[in-house]
Structure formats: C-alpha cells, structure tokens
Amino acid sequence: PLELEWQAITGSTEAQCEARAVEYAVMKSNLSPPFAVLAGGSGSVQITGQDALHSFKASLKDGEKLIESGERATQVGEWAKQVEGNFEGGMLTTVLKECANREPVRIVCMSGFFYAAVAAKILPSKPSSYEYISAEHVVAKLQALCDDAANTAKDVANAMRLLTLLRLLFEEHYTNVSILFARDWKLPSQGRPSAQFRTTWTSGWWLDRVIEHHMAY
C-alpha cells in the first residue's frame, strides 16, 4: 500500500516556496528580479527577500468581519492598526527602508495582493503582460478603493492590509519603489507558444523538488 506522510508547512517555508515560484517566473519572463516578494494569504502575510523572510498574521476574514461590524471609516482604521500591531518588522524591513531611500527597489506582490490590485483597477483580472508599476500610483489606487463605500468589506480589508504593509516598509517614501502584481503567467515553452504558470507556494515547492531530483543525478 502507498504510505503518505502529512505535514503542515510553516510560514517561513511557505514564504520561501512563494519566492522560488516568483524568481522562476520573473527569470523566464526576462524581467528584472525583485528585491522582495510580498504574498497576501487568507490568514497571513509573507515577506521574502535578501536571504531573509518574515511572516505575520493578517486574516482576511478577521478584517472583513471587523469592517462590517461598525462605521466603515472607523473600522477600516481599526483593521489597519491590527495589521500594524501584528507586523513587528525585522531586519528585512530595515534593509528595504534603507535601500528605498537611495536606489530603485522592485517588489513583486502575489496571491491575495494580486486580487487587491484587480479590485483597485490597477490592472485587469487577466493581464496580457506583466510590468513594474510606480508605488505612488499603486498606493493612490488602493487608498481610493478603501475610501469608496461601494466596495465590499473583503476588498477593502485586502487593500488596506497591503496599503498598511507598504507604509510600514517604506514610510511613504515611494519615489524609488515599483511594484509588479502577478498570479497567472504565460511563460516561454519548448514546442508551444507559451505555458501557463501560477505563482503559489505549491509551485515553488514543486520547483525545489525538481532541483533536488536533478542535483541527485
């Protein structure tokens, strides 16, 4: 009989696998590599870059419930405080801030943050190509989404946790920062015009297993 071993991955492993998937997709697309990767999951947020990583709780459902529980503007502010309180920062945060003050910094946002960008009309749900976008433009669009009462609590919660994260990382000094939002990529493939590739922690995990297999031989 087939024997299976079930394991729950840690936040750090998830972050590393997500970064691996993005690294591969960016390389195959002939884009400049990112300085860091920001991934918005349903329950947590991962930041990976420069041989460092950080994971913290920021449940989308918690944010949605909080925003729906009272006056919209007040509760959105409370949600931002919760995200900031869970963040804690670290070495990677310090490095990102220092670099953004003196040189261009490229960031890739994936997973739930891609849908925040779509909801904010930063890019379409099925973009024909990917490119880095000015962080100042991104922040303005995310803020507009959060300020519009017509948007759903879920979209606002998602946008506000990314907006809060960007402010914590760069302290609103966005001049040197550009952001690429991506999820489903069309990558060059032998014998075909392109191949579909989705950047998730599972695709990154699979890439690591492929590398391990080839290194073994």
Side-chain angles (χ1 to χ4, degrees):
L2 182 65
E3 294 185 4
L4 299 176
E5 180 181 352
W6 297 93
Q7 296 180 343
I9 67 166
T10 64
S12 60
T13 299
E14 183 178 6
Q16 289 173 326
C17 290
E18 288 167 340
R20 175 73 73 188
V22 169
E23 177 185 300
Y24 174 78
V26 167
M27 177 191 68
K28 295 290 285 185
S29 299
N30 293 318
L31 292 167
S32 298
F35 194 93
V37 176
L38 311 183
S42 58
S44 62
V45 169
Q46 282 73 239
I47 310 168
T48 314
Q50 307 306 298
D51 298 321
L53 55 91
H54 181 53
S55 178
F56 67 96
K57 181 181 177 183
S59 169
L60 203 51
K61 284 188 176 180
D62 288 351
E64 184 179 2
K65 288 179 181 178
L66 179 61
I67 290 170
E68 290 176 335
S69 67
E71 195 273 325
R72 172 66 70 99
T74 300
Q75 298 309 100
V76 170
E78 289 300 314
W79 171 235
K81 289 179 183 178
Q82 281 195 22
V83 174
E84 183 173 355
N86 291 339
F87 177 62
E88 295 183 354
M91 180 63 71
L92 180 55
T93 305
T94 303
V95 172
L96 282 170
K97 287 178 181 177
E98 290 178 351
C99 288
N101 283 331
R102 65 175 186 267
E103 62 184 275
V105 171
R106 293 178 297 273
I107 302 294
V108 169
C109 287
M110 60 178 290
S111 304
F113 289 152
F114 171 80
Y115 295 110
V118 172
K121 296 181 173 57
I122 296 169
L123 74 168
S125 60
K126 295 182 178 181
S128 58
S129 62
Y130 287 123
E131 61 182 354
Y132 288 97
I133 304 167
S134 161
E136 293 174 319
H137 175 72
V138 169
V139 167
K141 297 287 279 187
L142 291 172
Q143 187 63 62
L145 185 155
C146 294
D147 292 341
D148 188 345
N151 289 309
T152 67
K154 182 177 181 179
D155 282 342
V156 172
N158 196 18
M160 181 48 72
R161 68 177 181 169
L162 175 55
L163 191 57
T164 302
L165 179 57
L166 292 173
R167 286 172 175 164
L168 289 168
L169 290 175
F170 302 110
E171 297 181 340
E172 301 190 12
H173 298 299
Y174 304 119
T175 305
N176 288 333
V177 182
S178 57
I179 303 172
L180 185 154
F181 292 91
R183 183 163 173 80
D184 292 315
W185 300 70
K186 291 183 179 180
L187 302 180
S189 177
Q190 290 185 342
R192 289 183 294 173
S194 64
Q196 295 287 339
F197 181 76
R198 174 169 289 184
T199 43
T200 64
W201 77 262
T202 51
S203 57
W205 180 91
W206 180 81
L207 286 168
D208 278 340
R209 302 293 79 76
V210 170
I211 293 170
E212 287 179 1
H213 174 77
H214 283 284
M215 288 180 67
Y217 290 92

